Amino acid sequence: MCGIVGYTGKRCCVSTLLEGLRRLEYRGYDSAGLAVVENQGLTTVKNTGKVEALKDRSAERWPDFERCEGYTGIAHTRWATHGAPSEINAHPHLDDSGKFAVVHNGIIDNYLELREHLRGQGCEFKSDTDTEVLSHLIAKCYQGDLLHAVAAALNKVKGTFGLAVVCSEHPDKIVIARRGSPIVIGVGNDETLVASDISAIASYTKRVIFLDDDDMALITPGSIEIRNIENVPVSREIAQIDWDVSAAEKNGYEHFMLKEIFEQPQAVENTIRGRLDKSAATAVLNGLNLEPREMAMINRIVIAACGTSMNAGLVGEYFFEDIAGIPTDVEQAAEFRYRNPIIEPNTMVLAVSQSGETADTLAAVREAKNKGAIVAGLNNVVGSTIARETGRGIYLHAGPEIGVASTKAFTCQVSALLMMAVLFGRGRRMNRTDGENLINEIQQVPNLIQQVLDRAPEIEKIAIKYAKAEDFFFIGRGCMYPTALEGALKLKEISYIHAEGYHAAELKHGPIALLEEKVPVVALANNIPGRDKVLANIQECAARKSPVIATATDGDADIASLVQDVIWIPECSRFVAPVPTVVALQLLSYYIARERGCEIDQPRNLAKSVTVE
Ligand code: AGP
């Protein structure tokens, strides 16, 4: 997804803009650019390719980044939506006079109509982007007040935006606005920053302000004036970032993804910390803001999510039904928002989203609210849009997840869903003993993960053995079915191998036609209910000469003779088993992708947070 950075303050802005873009690289992009207000004008530098190339180009203009004349500027990394990746399509975009520069995330739905209208007024368009209409529109609306000009322009716009605007006539001002694409303000000392993602500015300040949809702000080095798009003043609280900027660094790991795989014991520890009440044999999730009686009234749960978060939700479905006895459905968020879902007054809609910014999941939240559901979020990013619009929920506290392929978010989401199921169950028919047992099991999760991480070298050997395969199947039953889906998604995302996750019983209903010697099957055969049936499925695969890699529980004496390779998983119950098992699958995918020389942290075509439909 595109990234935005802006700075106005006491220091020359170029190095801050470039550093901010570097921290946003993980989001995926194809070109980058910046604009600096200096010498009564705007200087822009843009190029396709990496931020490093932009830095080199900028060095040609400013040989010493610390001694430039510009103290206000904006910058952008572009993930092409309208117009191919090119220097001319890279942001910032300027108006004809060169006085206004705009960087923009989102999609202007009525840009063609606006472009024709502006062309009729003599504007000359240089790019194929929708964004360029904004720079010309703002210029046309400008009568001396930058905030008013941007407000007037945005009132003509349909679509989504997170944007920042600078003007050569206002060397210490940036105007920002958001509708459907996040923008956060960093509150510094005699300096103010803006970004589309906290990680771009966390090294400069931990005090941030999240804009809501249709908020705008005029920022200067020492002031922040927030209004809505109707020009009415609004107040937004200053939030405190709860993690250190080093958490957004690789800290010696080759890739962010590997770091985030290995930090899962700590991440899950953070998710469960302070939320297990052994004396009452239940979980404590005050962020849900639900009284026990309100919780007891919930008679159906709908989980709305995308991608990995949906796979976590599919695991949670088993928890809510098996542990808490609550009918539960998992909906692809994109489908939920359009299919006129049935929502009753006692339905809870749970939006699972690591970033809290996924457009389809956010839209599902809004649809659920319109239908009167009890809405809650399960998010990792504090202050994210979904977290704020649900108004209640559970934060993962997993720290920033930079790798595009989600890892610790999944294990923390599953752990949080398990705690939620215990809480709901203990408010219903779950007895104290069962509650205590599950609480004890949840407490063991970080240790179980660590045991699998300690086996990484064995998993790496297996990965290298199968790295040349072009097709994989992942199969499982019960909670291990969505775990298989997640394993397949990981492999697809980072190794570009075609991998399918399937319920083990489904193979014989068609997919088994694809099995042959060059198609490995990863079978999740942990020693939990359904294992014997998975063993039978393994035999079916072996009969078609597919090599089988099984995950199996330590001490399983039968498995080795049935399969080519075994990934050993420590003993644990069927509820907890998805977590250590998925860590093994994350490692398997990582080592295969690395063996294939793939770009692991920023896989082709992918973005970390899909903030467009
Ligand atoms: C997972 O590896 C992918 N990056 C993607 O499927 C992701 O899980 C999905 O886009 C949902 O993101 P969210 O959790 O931030 O809503």
Side-chain angles (χ1 to χ4, degrees), residues 131-151:
T131 301
E132 191 181 349
V133 298
L134 292 173
S135 52
H136 294 289
L137 203 48
I138 291 165
K140 286 293 181 192
C141 296
Y142 183 70
Q143 295 173 345
D145 183 306
L146 186 57
L147 185 63
H148 288 168
V150 176

Side-chain angles (χ1 to χ4, degrees), residues 149-171:
V150 176
L154 293 180
N155 274 293
K156 301 173 191 298
V157 162
K158 297 188 183 83
T160 57
F161 48 78
L163 61 84
V165 184
V166 290
C167 173
S168 57
E169 292 182 2
H170 301 274

